């Protein structure tokens, strides 16, 4: 693998993949991470996340810019790029070839446009860059973006030069918790439940050609009989647009024509609903009639809401029926890629394990994933509770002592919250938004709940997961869900108002697997000493969960957690994904029993 990487590095440099000034840089090689995963050795300059990155808005032609870029970093803005980095792995990761944090980063690379793109507009896309990015092409500024979790794009056509290589430069500042941006669990000084930061470019960078008038975004809202679809275009106007829905066999089941920017109603004949047990997805093709721009997409038919059970208790419902939602807390960290999964197979594998364990949902914890993660949740059949990444607070301070977020931090939070919801609004599997976690950076809870509802009125709101604990402000009663955190638990929240009650976090049973540990002192909420003991305790906690579901009308439960993360060893999987700790059959049986107990 290393020999192939070195040979490819020489080839890319010779073909202007890097600026000419960087042609003499040392050959790229990965740095050894503290732990490797089964996919670590599959990563190299020729296959750095080669998959199409945007499954709900696809075109046939595109150019992946992942791979080797020239890189410079330091505590002050660098002027030179003497190193090479493998994009899109963050500099802190071993896979990047850098394996250090820099407050300031400068990325540079060249590319050549395919000849058949002549005469078309060229869009440059970034899946995510953390935290502040300034992008130029051939020395001409084309984009500025703030916030580390949302995608952004630029039309770079007017910055391109006739013939020859084109150069992209990306200047980034990321000071982790020293900046007033949402950052989840990233920290400059990781430890315990806080982890290594992931700076700079950490999702796919790519180009695509489009007509001057083209589809920029699709908003797809499902119900039980069809879809409402809005096609947003590159320029204001009422261009005619046509949408077609096809089933899995390629048979057309709905067609509508209307105007861009206005809702199209696509009523599906003989609708096949999406559920975790049967994650049926329809293909959707949308065409901008005048320009001929055509994009592909997909979605599933489903609704989410609250219903009352026979005792009059509010419960979570899918497709008009009460369904108990049970899943793990999923942090989305990797020992070799930090925030970036080494491969698409790796990204999918955590969700496949979640399904094997009998769960029907997953809580994505204070992180936003690349679009392909949600694609796999849609295809595999997992309900998703999507957290908003938290603002930085000092968890070493006792509850009540943290100052409230600054006005700048609040503004950044609101902007990225609404951008996240807007970016993910068409994802079938997402059923709930979770703006705050345990009061970290919490402010103006009712206002944020109202903002979330205005931005997306179709999903449930869990305004503060863990409202009973930690740094949480007094319960405001906002949202649709009252969320209890109790370790080891499970918690016993009781219905108190219009909201469904859930255990948003419980469990945290740990097991140390020697040879599969991150450097540092391992920890868990309760440690066990063998896989048998871990399985036994999981069954005991699950048996208690079933009793609480039946007695209290609990609507959902989220177990900590999918994998070990750095020094936390309370995952089903070790951090390197090489060992699944408990007995799978026993855990699956317990999880299915809990779902059955809470589903009339």
């Amino acid at each position: 693998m290393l020999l192939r990487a070195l040979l490819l590095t020489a080839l890319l440099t010779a073909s202007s993949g890097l600026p000419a000034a960087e042609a003499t840089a040392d050959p790229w090689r990965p740095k050894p991470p503290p732990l490797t995963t089964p996919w670590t050795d599959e990563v190299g300059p020729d296959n750095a996340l080669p998959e199409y990155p945007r499954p709900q808005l696809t075109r046939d032609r595109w150019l992946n810019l992942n791979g080797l870029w020239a890189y410079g970093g330091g505590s002050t803005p660098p002027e030179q790029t003497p190193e090479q980095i493998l994009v899109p792995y963050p500099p802190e990761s071993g896979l990047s070839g850098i394996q250090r944090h820099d407050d300031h980063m400068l990325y540079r690379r060249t590319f050549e446009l395919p000849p058949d793109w002549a005469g078309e507009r060229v869009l440059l896309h970034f899946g995510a860059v953390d935290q502040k990015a300034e992008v130029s092409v051939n020395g001409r500024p084309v984009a500025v973006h703030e916030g580390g979790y949302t995608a952004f794009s630029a039309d770079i056509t007017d910055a391109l030069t006739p013939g020859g290589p084109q150069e992209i430069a990306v200047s980034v500042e990321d000071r982790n918790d020293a900046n007033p941006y949402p950052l989840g669990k990233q920290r400059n000084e990781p430890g315990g439940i806080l982890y290594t930061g992931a700076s700079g470019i950490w999702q796919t960078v790519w180009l695509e050609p489009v007509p001057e008038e083209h589809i920029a975004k699709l908003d797809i809202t499902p119900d039980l009989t069809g879809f409402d679809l809005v096609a947003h275009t590159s320029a204001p106007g009422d261009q005619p647009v046509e949408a077609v829905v096809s089933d899995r066999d390629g048979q057309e089941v709905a067609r509508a024509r209307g105007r861009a920017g206005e809702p199209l109603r696509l009523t599906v004949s003989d609708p096949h609903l999406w559920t975790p047990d049967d994650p049926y997805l329809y293909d959707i093709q949308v065409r901008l009639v005048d320009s001929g721009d055509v994009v592909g997409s997909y979605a599933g038919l489903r609704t989410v809401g609250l219903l009352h059970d026979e005792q009059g208790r509010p419960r979570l419902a899918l497709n008009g029926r009460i369904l108990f939602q049970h899943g793990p807390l999923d942090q989305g960290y990797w020992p070799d890629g930090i925030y970036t999964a080494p491969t698409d197979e790796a990204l999918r594998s955590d969700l496949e394990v979640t399904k094997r364990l009998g769960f029907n949902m997953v809580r994505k914890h204070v992180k936003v994933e690349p679009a392909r993660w949600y694609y796999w949740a849609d295809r595999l059949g997992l309900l998703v509770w999507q957290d908003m990444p938290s603002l930085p607070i000092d968890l070493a301070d006792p509850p009540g002592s943290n100052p409230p977020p600054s006005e700048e931090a609040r503004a950044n939070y609101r902007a990225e919250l609404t951008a996240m919801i807007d970016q993910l609004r068409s994802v079938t599997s997402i059923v709930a938004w979770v703006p705050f976690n345990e009061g970290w950076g919490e402010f103006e809870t009712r206002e944020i709940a109202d903002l979330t509802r205005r931005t997306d009125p179709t999903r449930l709101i869990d305004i503060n997961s863990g409202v009973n604990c930690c740094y949480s402000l007094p319960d405001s009663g906002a949202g649709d869900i009252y969320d209890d955190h109790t370790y080891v638990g499970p918690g016993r929240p009781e219905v108190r108002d219009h909201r469904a009650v859930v255990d948003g976090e419980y469990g945290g049973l740990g097991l140390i697997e020697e040879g599969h540990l991150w450097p540092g002192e391992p920890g868990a909420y309760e440690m066990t000493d063998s896989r048998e003991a871990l399985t036994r305790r999981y069954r005991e906690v699950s048996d208690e969960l079933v009793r609480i579901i039946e007695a209290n009308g609990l609507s959902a439960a989220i177990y900590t957690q999918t994998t070990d993360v750095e020094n936390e060893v309370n995952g089903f999987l070790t951090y390197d994904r090489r060992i699944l700790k408990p007995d799978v059959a026993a855990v699956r049986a317990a999880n299915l029993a809990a779902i059955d107990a809470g589903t009339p």
Side-chain angles (χ1 to χ4, degrees), residues 5-245:
L6 295 176
L7 290 173
L8 188 69
T9 299
L11 177 62
L12 286 174
T13 302
S15 62
S16 299
L18 297 172
E22 317 307 330
T24 58
D26 290 339
W28 176 87
R29 56 178 57 84
K31 296 286 178 65
L35 289 173
T36 64
T37 69
W39 306 275
T40 303
D41 290 339
E42 297 179 12
V43 177
D46 59 337
N47 65 342
L49 298 181
E51 294 80 14
Y52 193 90
R54 193 183 56 194
Q56 284 195 297
L57 184 63
T58 64
R59 290 186 174 92
D60 292 336
R61 294 180 298 161
W62 69 296
L63 181 63
N64 194 336
L65 295 183
N66 292 346
L68 290 178
W69 291 52
Y71 176 83
S75 58
T76 59
E79 298 180 357
Q80 297 182 343
T81 49
E83 300 174 276
Q84 294 180 29
I85 188 170
L86 186 60
V87 168
Y89 303 100
E92 293 88 345
S93 70
L95 291 177
S96 73
I98 303 296
Q99 208 171 39
R100 69 170 187 270
H101 170 77
D102 292 315
D103 285 350
H104 298 272
M105 294 146 275
L106 179 61
Y107 296 78
R108 296 168 60 223
R109 71 155 289 159
T110 59
F111 66 92
E112 295 193 22
L113 292 175
D116 64 347
W117 291 16
E120 299 188 73
R121 308 300 294 182
V122 177
L123 305 182
L124 171 63
H125 301 288
F126 292 85
V129 182
D130 200 6
Q131 294 168 316
K132 298 169 63 175
E134 298 180 4
V135 184
S136 63
V137 173
N138 297 322
R140 179 171 175 173
V142 296
V144 176
H145 184 264
E146 297 188 21
Y149 295 96
T150 50
F152 64 99
S153 303
D155 184 332
I156 65 171
T157 312
D158 295 337
L160 299 174
T161 58
Q166 319 287 334
E167 182 179 86
I168 299 174
V170 185
S171 178
V172 186
E173 178 189 292
D174 184 349
R175 299 190 299 142
N176 279 329
D177 43 316
N179 272 349
Y181 292 98
L183 82 167
K185 289 195 170 186
Q186 302 180 77
R187 290 298 186 272
N188 284 319
E189 297 183 7
I193 65 170
L194 303 174
Y195 317 130
T196 302
S199 305
I201 299 172
W202 68 275
Q203 291 187 30
T204 292
V205 187
W206 54 292
L207 297 164
E208 66 175 343
V210 294
E212 184 164 354
E213 292 187 2
H214 57 270
I215 296 167
K217 185 175 184 290
L218 297 178
D219 290 340
I220 304 169
T221 303
D223 55 36
L224 302 186
T225 61
F227 304 98
D228 291 324
L229 183 148
V230 179
H232 301 276
T233 55
S234 54
D238 59 352
Q239 300 95 329
V241 64
E242 185 175 62
V244 177
V245 180

Side-chain angles (χ1 to χ4, degrees), residues 237-294:
D238 59 352
Q239 300 95 329
V241 64
E242 185 175 62
V244 177
V245 180
S246 301
D247 63 19
R248 282 181 178 172
D249 297 324
Q251 298 299 308
E252 181 180 318
V253 296
R255 179 184 291 262
R257 186 164 176 155
R259 296 289 175 178
E262 299 177 358
L264 297 181
R265 180 60 188 174
L266 292 153
T267 300
V268 175
S269 56
D270 191 21
H272 191 150
L273 304 186
W274 184 96
T275 70
D277 291 334
D278 183 14
Y280 191 93
L281 297 171
Y282 289 92
D283 291 323
I284 302 174
Q285 185 182 82
V286 183
R287 180 171 65 96
L288 200 57
V289 174
D290 291 346
S291 72
D293 187 32
V294 177

